[in-house]
Amino acid sequence: MIVGASGFGKEVAWLCKRLGRTVLGFLDDNPKLKDGSFYELPVLGSTSDWHQYEECEFVVAIGAPRVRKKIVESMRKLGKPQFATLIDPSAQIDCDVTVIGEGTVICSGAVCTADVKIGTHVVINKLCSIGHDVNICDYVTLAPMVMLGGHVEVQSGVEVGASAAVRQGCTLSVGSMIGMGSVVLKDTQVNEVVLGNPAKHYKWTEDFYA
């Protein structure tokens, strides 16, 4: 069951096809989608209706980390949903040593090298490159073609825009956001938005834990 009838929801549905996994349908809180269909699959209710499908595994297909976190937490208040971990067959991962948390989605062409740790409900998008000894915490989103050098620490709720590159050894602090195409050469601060090459402070965003 996919939570979120959105663009990324379509990509998760496509990934399920590639994995040979049956998708029962979508859950979404948009009242305009109620009892309708999306991507040729039924919309079977809102997020709070998940307990009617307790036999299913769920994937929260929402790109924004803050929204994804709130949806997971709201579901857990109603019970103990099972969350699927989906890894595209074309992704290159050393599964013997890589730790991957529940609810995480790793898309086509992603490469994770040696001793990588990936938390829960993480989105690693198409063609991302993740170097050795990288630690990715919960609710992180990496947009397509992100490059993380070795020993990068990506703390909870970080969002990295498409084609951004992060220098080895940097720490992306909780809730920070990296603009598309940016080159990060130093640590970010909590809830900081940085842009450019080299990436510089742009503004502050809302507290990830608010």
Side-chain angles (χ1 to χ4, degrees):
M1 182 77 77
I2 300 172
V3 182
S6 61
F8 189 57
K10 291 180 181 181
E11 297 196 4
V12 171
W14 175 70
L15 172 53
C16 288
K17 289 181 184 179
R18 288 169 58 79
L19 292 170
R21 301 190 64 160
T22 300
V23 178
L24 185 63
F26 288 92
L27 298 178
D28 197 282
D29 291 335
N30 184 348
K32 294 181 180 179
L33 295 174
K34 186 176 180 181
D35 300 323
S37 64
F38 184 79
Y39 196 56
E40 300 183 343
L41 290 165
V43 178
L44 297 171
S46 62
T47 302
S48 61
D49 295 322
W50 73 264
H51 55 85
Q52 298 179 27
Y53 307 96
E54 288 183 313
E55 73 283 1
C56 292
E57 289 186 297
F58 299 87
V59 178
V60 181
I62 302 293
R66 287 163 173 79
V67 178
R68 191 160 68 248
K69 175 175 176 286
K70 288 177 180 178
I71 289 174
V72 171
E73 290 175 346
S74 69
M75 292 175 69
R76 284 178 172 156
K77 287 179 180 178
L78 299 174
K80 295 182 179 180
Q82 300 179 70
F83 292 102
T85 299
L86 303 179
I87 302 173
D88 190 276
S90 69
Q92 299 181 55
I93 301 172
D94 186 351
C95 292
D96 292 332
V97 296
T98 301
V99 177
I100 303 173
E102 69 170 8
T104 286
V105 178
I106 301 179
C107 297
S108 60
V111 177
C112 301
T113 61
D115 287 327
V116 174
K117 294 181 175 61
I118 301 169
T120 61
H121 302 284
V122 170
V123 173
I124 298 176
N125 233 302
K126 301 176 291 294
L127 301 175
C128 287
S129 175
I130 298 170
H132 62 89
D133 299 288
V134 167
N135 183 33
I136 300 174
C137 297
D138 302 338
Y139 299 107
V140 166
T141 295
L142 305 182
M145 300 181 67
V146 166
M147 191 286 291
L148 303 180
H151 290 283
V152 167
E153 173 83 11
V154 187
Q155 296 182 354
S156 296
V158 168
E159 186 171 1
V160 185
S163 299
V166 181
R167 182 181 181 179
Q168 68 271 15
C170 286
T171 295
L172 306 182
S173 295
V174 172
S176 58
M177 301 175 70
I178 314 302
M180 180 186 298
S182 296
V183 177
V184 179
L185 301 178
K186 62 181 182 179
D187 298 352
T188 63
Q189 299 183 57
V190 173
N191 301 317
E192 183 181 25
V193 180
V194 300
L195 304 172
N197 180 7
K200 296 180 180 179
H201 175 84
Y202 175 65
K203 65 178 183 178
W204 303 104
T205 189
E206 63 177 298
D207 185 356
F208 176 69
Y209 290 114

